[in-house]
């Protein structure tokens, strides 16, 4: 008999986990709608070149982590490693920038795929919820994105978060900084890791992202981006931090934050949370400003800003943070019938109550009262609805409040109203 194992780095979410993931996605999408974002749904796969072009040929995502393949017609395809590139491709394909008022405000939620080494909070298929603001003409859009993420985490129930921000400046500032980094690392690169050696050639900014401890020792003395920002970039960033100060948002300036994707410019940011038990899953959300991505994928130059949350990381942390309020599978009413005739009547009552919005379930098997009550408890039912021959004869049901352990006889036609008054929604 075949024994199928799940694919490495994938997971199954069910019951409470699946419910909580839906709850998180629901909270994020309703906040996005409050902020004026409209949903966009794009394909899970695109041409490999779209990601290579947007994330950058030298990025880890493209060089090491892409799930790519050749389809039956010889097309080079990749499962999306993130959703921004596909969303920008859709903006260009459908000329959304020409038909809607700018900035476009789009939000998305869906799976992304990266061939990474799996660990806690790091999967090969994971879910991103994100927003994109396309065609921005004010630093206030950057602030708005940062605030969306900040408020979303508050709404989800995180008691405190660490917001790290940095500016990687405009192109001119980055070019000057790149030169300075090359000069700094040139005499040291020989004893750094292979990834850094590659990064030194392709994009020295990425060396700052290296997690190897020995390399970190060298990196900490590297020149700082903030010393290379030109006046325009300095002012842009200053406007953002001043506004965050005005809004009373705490943040950490992190000069080593450069982010793994090539398309960013100006402000980049990450949200972190470290639980009281010390669980740290890295960034739970991250984003930044990008100036050239829409142009790179065939559209006009439109400055944009966006961010994405990792839904699974949020779920893992929230589960640890508040196991009591963690979403439960529960129902309003569990039907218990004694005898075949009563079973049909109880089933009819279930359908009637469902049509009135009550969550109901029942067993179609013959089970003892004791066993049926145990099932009702396991299903976290608020009420049991019980009927046998006598109840059917008299057109009533016994309704038992399973928390208070109180039982009342209720006329069939009064059921919905009775439960409506009893159940706190
Ligand atoms: P990034 O596109 O790398 O900035 O990722 C945005 C967010 O997605 C991160 O802050 C994480 O929360 C989440 N994320 C990234 N990679 C993974 C992964 N392999 N597994 C789970 N979540 C991830």
């Amino acid at each position: 008999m075949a024994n199928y194992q799940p694919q490495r780095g994938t997971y199954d979410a069910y019951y409470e986990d699946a419910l909580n993931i839906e709850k998180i996605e629901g909270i994020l999408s309703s906040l996005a709608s409050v902020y004026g974002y409209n949903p966009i749904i794009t394909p899970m796969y695109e041409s490999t070149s779209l990601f290579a072009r947007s994330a950058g040929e030298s990025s880890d995502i493209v060089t090491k982590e892409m799930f790519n393949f050749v389809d039956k017609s010889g097309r080079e395809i990749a499962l999306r490693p993130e959703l921004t590139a596909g969303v920008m491709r859709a903006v260009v394909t459908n000329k959304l920038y020409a038909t809607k008022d700018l900035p476009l405000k789009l939000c998305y939620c869906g799976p992304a795929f990266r061939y990474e080494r799996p660990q806690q909070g790091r999967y090969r298929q994971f879910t991103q919820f994100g927003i994109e603001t396309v065609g921005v003409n004010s630093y206030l859009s950057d602030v708005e994105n940062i605030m969306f993420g900040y408020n979303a985490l508050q709404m989800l129930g995180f008691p405190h978060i660490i917001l790290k921000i940095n500016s990687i400046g405009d192109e001119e500032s980055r070019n000057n900084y790149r030169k300075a980094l090359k000069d700094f690392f040139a005499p040291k690169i020989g004893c750094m890791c292979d990834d850094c050696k590659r990064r030194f050639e392709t994009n020295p900014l990425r060396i700052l992202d290296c997690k190897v401890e020995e390399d970190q020792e060298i990196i900490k003395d590297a020149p700082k981006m903030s010393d290379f920002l030109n006046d325009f970039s300095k002012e842009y960033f200053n406007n953002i931090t001043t506004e965050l100060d005005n809004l009373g948002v705490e943040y950490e300036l992190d000069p080593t934050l450069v982010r793994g994707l090539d398309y960013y410019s100006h402000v980049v940011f990450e949200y972190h949370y470290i639980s009281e038990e010390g669980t740290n899953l890295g960034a739970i959300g991250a984003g930044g400003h990008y100036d050239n991505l829409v142009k790179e994928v065939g559209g006009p130059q439109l400055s944009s800003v966006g961010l994405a949350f990792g839904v699974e990381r949020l779920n893992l942390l929230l589960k640890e943070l508040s196991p009591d309020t963690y979403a439960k599978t529960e129902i309003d009413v569990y039907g218990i019938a004694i005898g075949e005739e009563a079973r049909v009547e109880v089933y009819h009552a279930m359908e009637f109550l469902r049509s009135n919005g009550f969550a109901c379930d029942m067993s179609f098997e013959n089970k003892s009262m004791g066993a049926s009550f145990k099932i009702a408890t396991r299903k976290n039912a608020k009420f049991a609805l019980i009927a046998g021959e006598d109840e059917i004869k008299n057109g009533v049901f016994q309704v038992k409040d399973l928390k208070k352990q109180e039982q009342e006889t209720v006329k069939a036609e009064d059921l919905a109203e009775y439960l409506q008054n009893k159940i706190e929604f």
Side-chain angles (χ1 to χ4, degrees), residues 74-265:
R75 298 181 191 93
E76 302 261 356
I77 306 274
L79 300 182
R80 60 187 181 195
E82 50 98 38
L83 278 72
T84 302
V87 169
M88 293 311 125
R89 198 269 312 133
V91 163
V92 173
T93 308
N94 302 289
K95 291 201 171 54
L96 299 186
Y97 53 84
T99 52
K100 297 271 181 204
D101 292 321
L102 294 180
L104 299 170
K105 295 178 83 172
L106 302 165
C107 62
Y108 59 76
C109 185
F113 306 84
R114 292 183 195 172
Y115 199 80
E116 294 194 86
R117 197 171 62 77
Q119 49 186 288
Q120 199 200 19
R122 189 173 294 285
Y123 307 99
R124 290 187 173 175
Q125 176 176 334
F126 60 101
T127 313
Q128 285 194 337
F129 180 97
I131 58 171
E132 307 290 350
T133 312
V134 186
V136 311
N137 52 19
S138 161
Y139 69 92
L140 285 174
S141 279
D142 300 72
V143 174
E144 191 180 49
N145 270 252
I146 297 171
M147 288 306 291
F148 168 83
Y150 189 82
N151 287 327
L153 292 169
Q154 309 246 313
M155 279 183 79
L156 287 168
F158 286 94
H160 50 85
I161 50 137
I162 303 159
L163 166 61
K164 299 184 180 191
I165 65 172
N166 188 29
S167 172
I168 54 170
D170 61 5
E171 221 167 321
E172 183 189 78
S173 310
R174 272 197 312 285
N175 283 340
N176 291 337
Y177 185 45
R178 247 182 233 118
K179 264 191 224 124
L181 284 179
K182 278 212 123 168
D183 292 345
F184 174 81
F185 284 115
K188 306 175 175 69
I189 196 68
C191 51
M192 294 181 80
C193 75
D194 286 346
D195 276 338
C196 282
K197 289 194 180 92
R198 183 174 49 79
R199 291 168 182 145
F200 181 78
E201 296 305 330
T202 52
N203 187 353
L205 236 77
R206 264 191 227 296
I207 297 179
L208 305 182
D209 246 353
C210 180
K211 302 283 178 288
V212 177
E213 242 171 66
E214 295 78 29
D215 291 354
Q216 293 259 334
E217 274 302 299
I218 301 174
I219 291 166
K220 76 177 184 350
D221 298 324
K224 301 281 173 277
M225 181 75 230
S226 50
D227 295 327
F228 293 83
L229 294 180
N230 58 19
D231 287 347
F232 172 70
S233 301
K234 250 188 229 156
E235 194 191 330
Y236 197 95
F237 191 52
N238 197 26
N239 284 336
I240 292 173
T241 52
T242 306
E243 193 49 39
L244 291 176
D245 291 336
N246 290 340
L247 291 164
V249 171
E250 278 183 37
Y251 54 85
E252 272 176 25
L253 292 176
D254 180 349
T256 64
L257 184 66
V258 289
R259 315 265 312 112
L261 307 169
D262 259 1
Y263 51 64
Y264 288 115
S265 49

Side-chain angles (χ1 to χ4, degrees), residues 336-352:
I336 301 174
I338 308 150
E340 198 51 40
E341 200 188 338
R343 192 167 356 268
V344 177
E345 291 304 322
V346 171
Y347 174 63
H348 288 171
M350 298 283 100
E351 290 295 3
F352 168 70

Side-chain angles (χ1 to χ4, degrees), residues 332-333 346-361 412-413 415-417 419-420 425:
D332 297 317
V333 181
V346 171
Y347 174 63
H348 288 171
M350 298 283 100
E351 290 295 3
F352 168 70
L353 289 175
R354 285 168 182 153
S355 70
N356 280 278
F358 295 99
C360 304
D361 203 1
E413 61 268 29
L415 261 186
E417 201 184 332
L419 288 167
Q420 195 77 50
F425 286 100

Side-chain angles (χ1 to χ4, degrees), residues 284-414:
I284 47 181
H289 180 107
Y290 48 97
D291 278 331
N292 295 318
L293 187 51
V294 182
K295 194 162 167 214
E296 288 277 344
V297 301
Q301 195 278 325
L302 287 172
S303 292
S304 308
V305 54
L307 74 94
F309 283 118
V311 174
E312 289 79 6
R313 291 189 190 181
L314 297 175
N315 183 43
L316 283 170
L317 291 168
L318 287 171
K319 186 163 33 172
E320 181 182 311
L321 188 62
S322 47
D324 297 342
T325 55
Y326 196 67
K328 276 204 299 207
T329 52
E330 56 186 4
I331 53 172
D332 297 317
V333 181
Y334 187 71
I336 301 174
I338 308 150
E340 198 51 40
E341 200 188 338
R343 192 167 356 268
V344 177
E345 291 304 322
V346 171
Y347 174 63
H348 288 171
M350 298 283 100
E351 290 295 3
F352 168 70
L353 289 175
R354 285 168 182 153
S355 70
N356 280 278
F358 295 99
C360 304
D361 203 1
M362 69 177 284
S363 166
F364 295 137
E365 279 173 78
N366 258 332
K367 290 214 188 289
S368 72
M369 277 302 245
S372 298
F373 275 117
K374 278 193 188 135
I375 299 175
T377 310
R378 281 200 294 275
K379 285 183 180 281
N380 292 315
K382 297 181 183 120
F383 289 83
L385 179 132
I386 309 139
E389 258 174 53
D390 284 352
E391 280 76 17
I392 301 311
K393 219 183 299 155
N394 298 323
V396 296
F397 290 98
Q398 302 297 329
V399 181
K400 183 168 183 180
D401 184 323
L402 293 170
K403 200 162 153 204
K404 296 189 182 149
Q405 290 291 313
E406 289 166 4
Q407 188 166 313
E408 286 186 273
T409 307
V410 181
K411 281 195 199 144
E413 61 268 29
D414 295 341

